[in-house]
Amino acid sequence: MTMRQWWVLGLAVLAMCALYSAVPRLAVTFMARQIPLDPPGGSLVEDTFDLTEGIEVRKRLLPTAKGVTFRPAYLAVGIKIDENGLLYGTPQRPGTYVAPVQICDGQSCQEQRLTLVVHGNVPWEPRELTFPGRTGVPLSGEIGVNGGPPGVVPTFTVTDRARLPHGVTIGPDGQVGGVPAAAGISEVPVRICVAGNCAGVVVRLIVV
């Protein structure tokens, strides 16, 4: 075997050794980047959202782990997500969209599927906004809504809790309850949302 052949053979052996030593490091790096943050499907408090065609949405996703980030992406026609988990945009087309979302902790990322149900724009109105009551007697009422997309549960948020009379509550399901402690008329601002189609109303409580 000539000196040139020995030289080529030596280079080949060195190349094989370098490749062999690099493979474990590459495998470890790949595995490190695939370590799940949580069990599959458990990275978000909520992973299904009802939206309305043509109504702007700005809703922040709630991860179960602290300090995580999101990979910006398009999720549906007109809907995006940013690195802080803000779901934003205006849905352009009714339908159900299932999109993967990347949730990352440093270099380690996990994919979770997000379901966006975009409903047609169906008008709605509050069913009841005035509730009479008596001091010391439990209240029992419900705001409710008429109209809106079928099967969608509306949500109710008191935007100024200081306006609620002492002892009275308005729950996220629209239930008006509690025991009024004093007589008077109170006007309480409430935000009602039906599939992301929201409006502010004033609930009047008349206690005698």
Side-chain angles (χ1 to χ4, degrees), residues 19-187:
L19 178 62
Y20 179 79
S21 63
V23 168
R25 290 198 300 270
L26 291 173
V28 170
T29 301
F30 176 78
M31 291 176 64
R33 292 185 178 182
Q34 298 301 315
I35 296 174
L37 304 177
D38 286 300
S43 299
L44 296 174
V45 174
E46 186 180 4
D47 61 8
T48 301
F49 299 93
D50 288 294
L51 311 175
T52 297
E53 179 186 12
I55 301 295
E56 183 181 8
V57 58
R58 290 185 64 85
K59 186 175 183 66
R60 194 170 300 280
L61 304 186
L62 298 177
T64 55
K66 294 183 178 179
V68 299
T69 59
F70 296 78
R71 286 188 179 172
Y74 285 91
L75 302 182
V77 181
I79 299 297
K80 305 175 186 177
I81 185 173
D82 70 8
E83 64 180 7
N84 297 313
L86 179 66
L87 193 69
Y88 68 99
T90 302
Q92 301 295 326
R93 193 176 302 162
T96 299
Y97 302 88
V98 180
V101 173
Q102 293 286 333
I103 306 171
C104 302
D105 184 0
Q107 294 298 316
S108 181
C109 295
Q110 173 178 300
E111 179 179 290
Q112 179 163 339
R113 294 188 179 277
L114 207 65
T115 301
L116 306 176
V117 183
V118 180
H119 301 269
N121 196 333
V122 181
W124 62 267
E125 61 182 6
R127 189 163 52 234
E128 184 61 61
L129 293 176
T130 301
F131 299 91
R134 297 179 63 86
T135 304
V137 178
L139 274 173
S140 180
E142 180 184 8
I143 301 172
V145 300
N146 292 324
V152 176
V153 178
T155 59
F156 305 81
T157 305
V158 177
T159 56
D160 186 355
R161 304 196 71 83
R163 297 285 190 89
L164 279 169
H166 184 66
V168 177
T169 61
I170 297 177
D173 56 357
Q175 295 292 326
V176 180
V179 180
I185 298 176
S186 301
E187 294 186 337

